[in-house]
Each structure stands twice: as structure tokens, then as C-alpha cells.
Amino acid sequence: MKILKIELENLNSLYGRHSIDFEKDLLGAPLFLIMGSTGAGKSTLMDAMSLALFGQTPRLTKSKRDKDPGNDCRQIMSRGTAFAYSQLIFTKIENGKIEKYRASWQCERAHKKPDGNFKDPRRVLERYSNEFAEWEQIVSDPRPKFYEPHFNKVLENLTVDDFKRMVLLAQGEFAAFLKANEEERAAILERLT
């Protein structure tokens, strides 16, 4: 998987719309460093990637009432806003061809008012059609039973924990991968390669 672009809006400390185009802004650099002062939004960028792909973020805790931490928008939506959004564009090799996908997570409050009740997050998965030069929607639904099979197929059963250990490596989490037992590391590496 190669990450091409991240877009987000109203996630944690990052109010408003933000975008990082790895191809254009970073000139396709294979390695980069995200740095900044405390509270600048470094971890929120990692949250945005995880939300778009998995509908949850591993750094937020699960509440007792909530079955899925990603479904509690109150933990990730910027305070005083009515809408939060995360989108990730990435490529991967399928049947010897490079395919481009766009994964999104979006959550809003009722009547688009900052004090409205939270709605269930919507997950969207699209594939870019080179033939028609446009995005084709695979799924768009707030219900896991409809969107999960499509995301699992495209991500080849990569889990949020695998992603956290191997891709995010946020704030010293690389040590957790190194300390994982041999069987766990082998399973992660097998899925990634």
C-alpha cells in the first residue's frame, strides 16, 4: 500500500479542512518525518489515516457503552463543530496492476448543528476507474455489516492493530512491534508483504 493523500476536517485540534498530498507536497519522498510542538496535530494525522481505513483510531479509548471506539465521534470531532471527516487516497497492487482507492470516514451532528445529536459515522470506499477517469463508489453506508466486507477485501484483512504497529509507528510505538512475539511479528509481516 502506498499512501498518496490525506484530507481531514475538524479532527481533534485540527479545525477546518487540511490536506497533505504526498505526491505533490512531498515530491513522492519514500520517507518523511512529521514533527511539531505538543498539540500541533501530529497524532491527529495518524488518527485521520486510521479512521479512513478502519473507522477507528487505536489511540482513543473505548467507552463502556460503545462497541467500537471509532463510532464515538465525540472523542475525535473538534469541539464546537457539527461535522468531521477523514479521507485517504492510496494505491495497491492487485493482479499485477496498480489500483487506486479512496477510503473515507465522516461523522456529523443532527441538523448540522454543533449541539445536535451525533449520527453514526458513514464509511465510503471508492476505486478510481482509469477507463472513465472518475471515482466509482464501492460502498457508502453507516452500517458495519455493509461496509466491512468491502474494506476487509481491499485491505486484505489488515487490522487496525497491524496498521498501528507497522505503518503509524507513532510516538514510540515501534518498540511495541519489536517487543511482539515472533508469531505476532510473522503474521503482520506476512500480511504486509
Side-chain angles (χ1 to χ4, degrees), residues 8-18 39-45 48 78:
L8 63 103
E9 184 174 345
N10 297 330
L11 296 183
N12 291 329
S13 64
L14 297 179
Y15 284 80
R17 194 169 197 99
H18 301 272
K42 300 176 302 292
S43 294
T44 300
L45 291 175
S78 300

Side-chain angles (χ1 to χ4, degrees), residues 39-109:
K42 300 176 302 292
S43 294
T44 300
L45 291 175
M46 305 299 114
D47 289 340
M49 286 191 279
S50 185
L51 282 168
L53 292 173
F54 305 103
Q56 62 180 290
T57 177
R59 84 178 172 119
L60 296 179
T61 58
K62 188 190 280 191
S63 70
K64 290 181 181 175
R65 315 178 266 123
D66 196 19
K67 296 176 190 165
D68 178 358
N71 283 336
D72 193 353
C73 302
R74 294 166 287 212
Q75 293 187 43
I76 193 80
M77 187 183 290
S78 300
R79 293 188 190 281
T81 62
F83 178 77
Y85 169 80
S86 173
Q87 183 178 86
L88 184 69
I89 298 176
F90 63 95
T91 58
K92 62 183 283 252
I93 297 173
E94 289 179 352
N95 301 322
K97 291 177 23 185
I98 296 176
E99 297 288 346
K100 187 188 290 188
Y101 289 93
R102 185 164 64 184
S104 304
W105 172 94
Q106 54 194 25
C107 189
E108 64 183 65
R109 290 176 176 261

Side-chain angles (χ1 to χ4, degrees), residues 43 46 164 167-174:
S43 294
M46 305 299 114
K164 177 183 174 183
V167 178
L168 297 184
L169 307 180
Q171 300 175 356
E173 290 295 325
F174 185 63

